[in-house]
Amino acid sequence: MAAIKSRHQRPPARPGGERLGSVLLAALALPGLLPVEAVAENAPEHAVLAYKQLYYQDSQPGLDRITVNAPSVYGLLPMGEHWSVEGSAVVDAVSGASPRYYSTVSGASHMDDLRTAGDAKLSYYRERSAYSVSLSRSQEHDYISNAAALDARFSSADNNTTYNLGVGVARDSINPTNDLVDDETKNSLQGIVGVTRALTAVDLVQLQLAYSSGHGYFSDPYKLFDNRPRERNQGTALLRWNHHVAAADATLRLNYRYYNDSYGIAAHTLGLEWVQPLGRNFSLTPSLRYYTQSSADFYIDPPASAPFPNIPEGAYSSLDQRLSAFGALAVAGKLEWRLSPEWSTDFKAEYYQQRAEWRLTGNGSPGLEPFRYVSFEFGLTRRF
């Protein structure tokens, strides 16, 4: 299901605390579970209806922070031999407090918010190509995001190579409740290109490049001393390799992502998954992910003794911990159960921890409280 931007801190899916063209990437990026051989573009044969329930809880030592409960639904409907339409909707119920020392909301304060989001995608399929248009909207009481995307995919004559490319635009409106900012906007343009190649009968590789250019209000109106540049350019390079291990009837998935932006943040992500079928109806997928990033050029370390830093008037600055230098580890496990040819269910649990001293190269930002989260997902899918 497509992920749509929100100002709240949720599971850190993107470097630097920002979602790089999340609507576009959700619509255009090839799925993480890639087959062991490329196939020609074909319209889906079956309709799909799926439900997903997410529970997310993050914390710092002695402080429970943000809790998210997010039910969502997804539907896919084939229309004849060449068309399909799909869409999803999600409701995020968010409550808790922001990180201590980084916000005008203290750890003892409480906040509640509700986000509703939806997206729709229309696809047209030819023998060796497919074309799609996507629209999406996300709304909170103080933040509205609208986005649109176009993408295309092309397969080679031998079906061993697939190329994908796309472009998307987004416009966000920001109207916080503290009266410090009024009628601000943020506009962005995103692009993505990629190639997927079946090297052998058991090896599949993928390279994707994405770039986003944004202009407008990027500061966080709820954080003290948060004054960010009104332009942000972001780029990523993603490399995936899937290898089918015949002896274990399993698949090893490896991925590496490099991220860089005009704020000065450079980040690296390494991921590993092992997909192990258990009989005919079960599959278990343990995974491990490591993430490391440098700090933004204007990030300010929290003071050791004084309550507030001394910042020149008008200077770029932020105490947002998501713009600091740190490293993080995440371990997860997913169990899938095929109940019948029509029904399937899955359950996923993940634990994530972030520390300044876990940064891979150089020193992490000092004065940061350790940050951690746990998340649980339950899914139920019906095919028709």
Side-chain angles (χ1 to χ4, degrees), residues 67-83:
T67 298
V68 180
N69 285 287
S72 59
V73 294
Y74 166 82
L76 168 67
L77 180 65
M79 298 185 300
E81 297 181 359
H82 300 288
W83 294 89

Side-chain angles (χ1 to χ4, degrees), residues 148-161:
L150 299 171
D151 73 275
R153 301 180 301 278
F154 307 92
S155 297
S156 62
D158 60 5
N159 294 331
N160 284 333
T161 306

Side-chain angles (χ1 to χ4, degrees), residues 333-350:
K334 182 178 182 179
L335 178 66
E336 299 175 84
W337 180 14
R338 185 174 182 181
L339 303 168
S340 70
E342 295 81 23
W343 288 93
S344 63
T345 186
D346 60 86
F347 176 79
K348 180 179 180 180
E350 181 176 67

Side-chain angles (χ1 to χ4, degrees), residues 1-18:
M1 302 178 190
I4 304 177
K5 290 182 286 186
S6 171
R7 63 175 176 82
H8 294 298
Q9 182 170 335
R10 289 177 169 82
R14 302 287 178 208
E18 295 285 346

Side-chain angles (χ1 to χ4, degrees), residues 16-268:
E18 295 285 346
R19 296 180 180 273
L20 170 58
S22 56
V23 174
L24 176 67
L25 295 184
L28 306 187
L30 295 180
L33 179 57
L34 298 174
V36 294
E37 58 179 313
V39 296
E41 295 291 346
N42 294 310
E45 297 181 0
H46 302 284
V48 175
L49 182 62
Y51 171 82
K52 183 79 72 175
Q53 177 71 48
L54 166 69
Y55 173 82
Y56 166 89
Q57 170 73 66
D58 64 33
S59 62
Q60 291 178 294
L63 174 67
D64 288 335
R65 292 189 50 248
I66 296 294
T67 298
V68 180
N69 285 287
S72 59
V73 294
Y74 166 82
L76 168 67
L77 180 65
M79 298 185 300
E81 297 181 359
H82 300 288
W83 294 89
S84 73
V85 62
E86 58 190 298
S88 65
V90 61
V91 177
D92 283 355
V94 184
S95 62
S98 295
R100 52 165 60 99
Y101 306 127
Y102 297 95
S103 175
T104 56
V105 180
S106 72
S109 300
H110 189 82
M111 55 82 69
D112 292 281
D113 202 359
L114 189 70
R115 179 185 73 117
T116 58
D119 64 87
K121 182 175 182 178
L122 179 67
S123 299
Y124 173 69
Y125 301 86
R126 295 176 61 87
E127 183 179 0
R128 300 194 183 280
S129 60
Y131 310 87
S132 300
V133 57
S134 307
L135 299 173
S136 64
R137 179 180 175 87
S138 174
Q139 182 169 353
E140 304 168 46
H141 75 281
D142 58 355
Y143 198 106
I144 298 175
S145 178
N146 294 290
L150 299 171
D151 73 275
R153 301 180 301 278
F154 307 92
S155 297
S156 62
D158 60 5
N159 294 331
N160 284 333
T161 306
T162 298
Y163 305 93
N164 67 293
L165 56 91
V167 62
V169 294
R171 179 177 176 84
D172 300 348
S173 300
I174 304 103
N175 287 283
T177 57
N178 56 14
D179 297 325
L180 297 178
V181 176
D182 186 40
D183 292 330
E184 281 284 3
T185 60
K186 180 172 61 178
N187 301 305
S188 61
L189 175 66
Q190 305 106 25
I192 187 171
V193 294
V195 58
T196 303
R197 174 72 178 177
L199 297 180
T200 70
V202 295
D203 291 286
L204 192 70
V205 295
Q206 179 190 65
L207 174 65
Q208 286 196 140
L209 304 176
Y211 184 79
S212 173
S213 179
H215 303 268
Y217 186 76
F218 285 90
S219 303
D220 190 325
Y222 296 100
K223 287 183 167 60
L224 290 170
F225 310 108
D226 204 275
N227 180 31
R228 310 182 191 188
R230 295 185 67 88
E231 179 177 346
R232 190 176 191 182
N233 300 317
Q234 306 169 81
T236 63
L238 172 64
L239 180 63
R240 287 186 176 126
W241 173 46
N242 284 10
H243 175 71
H244 181 69
V245 183
D249 191 26
T251 300
L252 172 67
R253 302 179 190 159
L254 298 175
N255 65 81
Y256 166 74
R257 183 194 302 269
Y258 174 74
Y259 169 91
N260 184 274
D261 68 20
S262 57
Y263 283 4
I265 295 176
H268 307 267

Side-chain angles (χ1 to χ4, degrees), residues 251-376:
T251 300
L252 172 67
R253 302 179 190 159
L254 298 175
N255 65 81
Y256 166 74
R257 183 194 302 269
Y258 174 74
Y259 169 91
N260 184 274
D261 68 20
S262 57
Y263 283 4
I265 295 176
H268 307 267
T269 306
L270 292 170
L272 180 152
E273 293 182 331
W274 181 268
V275 185
Q276 181 63 62
L278 303 173
R280 297 181 59 183
N281 298 322
F282 290 91
S283 177
L284 180 64
T285 306
S287 63
L288 182 66
R289 185 176 73 254
Y290 174 73
Y291 175 82
T292 180
Q293 74 171 42
S294 60
S295 64
D297 295 335
F298 51 85
Y299 172 77
I300 298 175
D301 295 316
S305 56
F308 302 116
N310 183 16
I311 303 172
E313 184 176 354
Y316 293 135
S317 62
S318 179
L319 281 78
D320 190 335
Q321 65 167 359
R322 293 169 294 179
L323 301 181
S324 65
F326 63 86
L329 281 170
V331 59
K334 182 178 182 179
L335 178 66
E336 299 175 84
W337 180 14
R338 185 174 182 181
L339 303 168
S340 70
E342 295 81 23
W343 288 93
S344 63
T345 186
D346 60 86
F347 176 79
K348 180 179 180 180
E350 181 176 67
Y351 176 79
Y352 169 99
Q353 186 164 164
Q354 169 185 313
R355 293 178 178 267
E357 59 267 27
W358 288 355
R359 184 186 174 193
L360 182 63
T361 58
N363 298 321
S365 298
L368 291 177
E369 292 279 3
F371 171 85
R372 63 182 65 89
Y373 75 74
V374 293
S375 67
F376 302 96

